[in-house]
Amino acid sequence: TSTAANATLTSCTMTGLNEYQYYPYKVCVTDKVGNTTSCSTGGITTKDTTKPTKPTVTLKLGSASGSAYSSGSWTNQDVYHIVTSSDSGSGIAYYQYSHDGKTGWSGDINTLGWRSSYNSDKTQLTYVFWWGMNYNFYIRAVDNAGNVSDVSSMFTVRIDTEKPKCTSSGGSTSWTTGSRTLTGTCSDEGGSGCKGNVS
């Protein structure tokens, strides 16, 4: 705004802007008798430098509403992961995982085929493991401006889907008091181990 003839607008200030929002605007010039130029248009995108909150991971057995799964325990059921984080600026873009929390970060977990789904604003991701495994995991969140959260606490998923194998080691060839004893050994390739030898 200026009362001088041939004035040039060199700067203006917009206040009250939130982080990482797009603000469209129009600039119009009107003379003293009310003639108005065609309006020029533009927009301002504010900057987001705040990282998302550290993700929390809740583990469930069998379904997203199932009983709690204790990190590091063996199971033969599906293990559901419910990951939550928030971001006050540009919003959550996706979540990543790593086995050591330092290197080898994945892309978007939602693209890995783990029966995953986001809620509407991506503050929650649910995904499932159902195959045999024994791994440590860490999760982090990335927002739409590229800021990366602190790494979640480590958790361990152990799923054994393999049946144990028993091998007979032979036994007595003669009956004793109406019975014959055979002993065998158990091996478990799934990783959870056997409860002991069988006889």
Side-chain angles (χ1 to χ4, degrees):
T1 301
S2 175
T3 58
N6 301 317
T8 301
L9 179 64
T10 57
S11 66
C12 65
T13 301
M14 300 179 77
T15 60
L17 306 184
N18 297 319
E19 281 194 329
Y20 207 80
Q21 298 289 326
Y22 179 73
Y23 296 90
Y25 61 80
K26 290 184 179 181
V27 178
C28 304
V29 179
T30 304
D31 67 16
K32 292 181 180 180
V33 294
N35 300 306
T36 301
T37 66
S38 298
C39 296
S40 62
T41 60
I44 296 174
T45 301
T46 56
K47 187 176 182 181
D48 177 5
T49 58
T50 304
K51 60 187 176 183
T53 61
K54 177 180 176 179
T56 59
V57 182
T58 302
L59 304 173
K60 297 286 187 176
L61 284 173
S63 72
S65 59
S67 60
Y69 168 75
S70 179
S71 171
S73 62
W74 282 101
T75 183
N76 61 1
Q77 298 184 56
D78 296 353
V79 178
Y80 281 69
H81 303 64
I82 300 96
V83 181
T84 57
S85 180
S86 62
D87 185 75
S88 60
S90 57
I92 301 293
Y94 56 91
Y95 297 88
Q96 300 175 300
Y97 83 90
S98 167
H99 289 305
D100 65 7
K102 299 175 183 177
T103 60
W105 288 99
S106 71
D108 183 351
I109 291 174
N110 194 45
T111 66
L112 301 180
W114 294 348
R115 302 193 324 231
S116 56
S117 62
Y118 282 119
N119 67 348
S120 60
D121 61 3
K122 296 188 177 180
T123 56
Q124 180 173 299
L125 169 68
T126 301
Y127 62 93
V128 188
F129 289 157
W130 63 91
W131 63 94
M133 66 168 57
N134 181 7
Y135 293 114
N136 297 328
F137 290 93
Y138 298 81
I139 304 293
R140 69 183 187 183
V142 182
D143 70 16
N144 287 293
N147 300 304
V148 179
S149 73
D150 291 337
V151 176
S152 74
S153 300
M154 185 194 81
F155 60 95
T156 303
V157 178
R158 292 177 172 155
I159 302 175
D160 181 357
T161 59
E162 296 288 333
K163 295 179 180 180
K165 295 179 180 179
C166 294
T167 304
S168 172
S169 62
S172 171
T173 58
S174 61
W175 292 92
T176 304
T177 62
S179 64
R180 183 183 181 198
T181 300
L182 296 172
T183 60
T185 57
C186 171
S187 63
D188 182 53
E189 296 177 1
S192 62
C194 295
K195 292 184 177 181
N197 292 339
V198 293
S199 62

